Amino acid sequence: MANKIKVATTSLAGCFGCHMSFLDLDERLIALAEVAEFDRSPITDIEHCGPCDIGLIEGGVCNSENVHVLREFRKNCKILVAVGACAINGGLPAMRNHISLEDCLLEAYRDGIGVENAQIPNDPELPLLLDKVHPIHEVVKVDYYLPGCPPSADVFWAFLTALLEGREPSYPYELVHYD
């Protein structure tokens, strides 16, 4: 089918739980594959995002590589979606924002309980850490937000089917309540 929409996904600073929830679409992934082609995603293992209709981003922005990947997605995706708490507000990774980066590194790599051969990693292959973890909307324009930690497969499905049908996505209370 030549008219398939292109969907790409990536994970920044997060736990990959949003991707696992996306994969929980189970047999609905087959239905999605009939109308969508996957670019960069855990399904394809494509390394770089090409031109896409929808980009789904999970995780906050904590290092230089995250900034690069996020900007690449924004440049290549017509619609960019912040998926889950980490992408929307920094989530758990942003808990380090109340501690200086230096103190965080010292605790993790030098002074923490059980640390042996203490040294802070200093390899040029490692991306530079940012002083704070940022939600993605602080770095690029975001078109939609999928709430949750992680959003359920049903939230993904409601969102994607609404877009595919040309409707504005909405989330009924039953899908996004946390009580």
Side-chain angles (χ1 to χ4, degrees):
M1 175 180 209
N3 304 12
K4 287 186 175 188
I5 65 159
K6 250 188 169 175
V7 178
T9 70
T10 196
S11 181
L12 305 176
C15 69
F16 211 74
C18 295
H19 270 89
M20 296 306 294
S21 188
F22 178 76
L23 294 173
D24 281 344
L25 285 169
D26 298 328
E27 67 277 355
R28 293 177 288 187
L29 284 171
I30 304 301
L32 185 58
E34 292 176 8
V35 295
E37 177 185 341
F38 292 98
D39 192 77
R40 178 178 174 163
S41 77
I43 295 170
T44 62
D45 200 30
I46 294 172
E47 193 169 322
H48 294 283
C49 177
C52 286
D53 297 297
I54 302 171
L56 303 170
I57 309 278
E58 79 163 291
V61 181
C62 77
N63 64 44
S64 58
E65 180 182 29
N66 293 162
V67 172
H68 172 76
V69 168
L70 182 56
R71 287 183 176 152
E72 176 185 53
F73 261 71
R74 177 69 276 181
K75 182 176 128 199
N76 286 303
C77 298
K78 293 176 187 170
I79 297 171
L80 193 70
V81 185
V83 177
C86 295
I88 293 171
N89 63 26
L92 288 176
M95 289 180 69
R96 80 163 166 91
N97 288 354
H98 303 287
I99 305 165
S100 74
L101 181 57
E102 179 183 15
D103 287 346
C104 184
L105 290 170
L106 289 173
E107 178 65 24
Y109 293 105
R110 194 187 75 189
D111 303 332
I113 296 172
V115 173
E116 295 180 19
N117 302 319
Q119 64 179 350
I120 295 174
N122 189 22
D123 188 310
E125 294 290 319
L126 295 175
L128 291 174
L129 291 175
L130 304 177
D131 287 335
K132 303 285 182 196
V133 176
H134 300 273
I136 70 171
H137 73 268
E138 289 183 3
V139 179
V140 298
K141 178 186 177 288
V142 172
D143 301 301
Y144 291 99
Y145 298 84
L146 288 184
C149 185
S152 70
D154 291 336
V155 169
F156 277 104
W157 186 248
F159 173 79
L160 290 169
T161 55
L163 281 184
L164 291 169
E165 293 168 0
R167 295 182 289 112
E168 187 66 25
S170 64
Y171 315 110
Y173 177 79
E174 301 79 46
L175 289 182
V176 293
H177 70 93
Y178 302 99
D179 54 345

